[in-house]
Amino acid sequence: MSYRCSICPNKSRCVPGDGPLEAEIFCIGEAPGYEESEPGGRPFIGRAGREFNEHYLGLAGLDRDEIYIDNTVSCRPDLNRKPSSREIWGCAPHHLPER
């Protein structure tokens, strides 16, 4: 299938992946939240991202600079809903690096 998701044309900012593409660890989130898509522009900087960065990475013995982080869709879904399968399959192939 070759269709684009319906999220991209909306008012939110597309949030690119962050980190070294050659990283051994690749973390994928669901979708950007408000803080990522509006003022921040980086994945995993909102409330859940801060918990991930400040607690879980340390527990795993990892540093954010050594992992690649992205989301299944690049733009925040309206009403902060979960992205649909159609949106994920329409968006992810255009921005997630192949592994």
Side-chain angles (χ1 to χ4, degrees):
M1 285 185 177
S2 75
Y3 52 77
R4 297 292 297 238
C5 71
S6 61
I7 296 174
C8 291
N10 77 11
K11 297 175 188 166
S12 73
R13 174 183 184 161
C14 286
V15 179
D18 185 54
L21 288 174
E22 68 280 354
E24 290 185 33
I25 307 291
F26 186 2
C27 297
I28 303 175
E30 184 176 77
Y34 172 78
E35 291 183 53
E36 292 86 1
S37 65
E38 296 300 329
R42 289 179 68 206
F44 288 63
I45 61 166
R47 189 181 74 212
R50 283 190 299 274
E51 182 176 342
F52 175 80
N53 294 321
E54 295 169 9
H55 300 290
Y56 299 113
L57 285 178
L59 288 172
L62 298 169
D63 185 77
R64 172 143 178 165
D65 294 336
E66 63 185 324
I67 65 171
Y68 186 81
I69 301 176
D70 210 337
N71 288 294
T72 60
V73 294
S74 292
C75 299
R76 182 174 184 240
D78 57 337
L79 304 174
N80 204 32
R81 64 176 168 72
K82 291 184 177 191
S84 69
S85 294
R86 181 177 173 91
E87 290 165 335
I88 292 168
W89 286 105
C91 186
H94 297 282
H95 70 91
L96 289 179
E98 289 188 29
R99 292 291 182 160

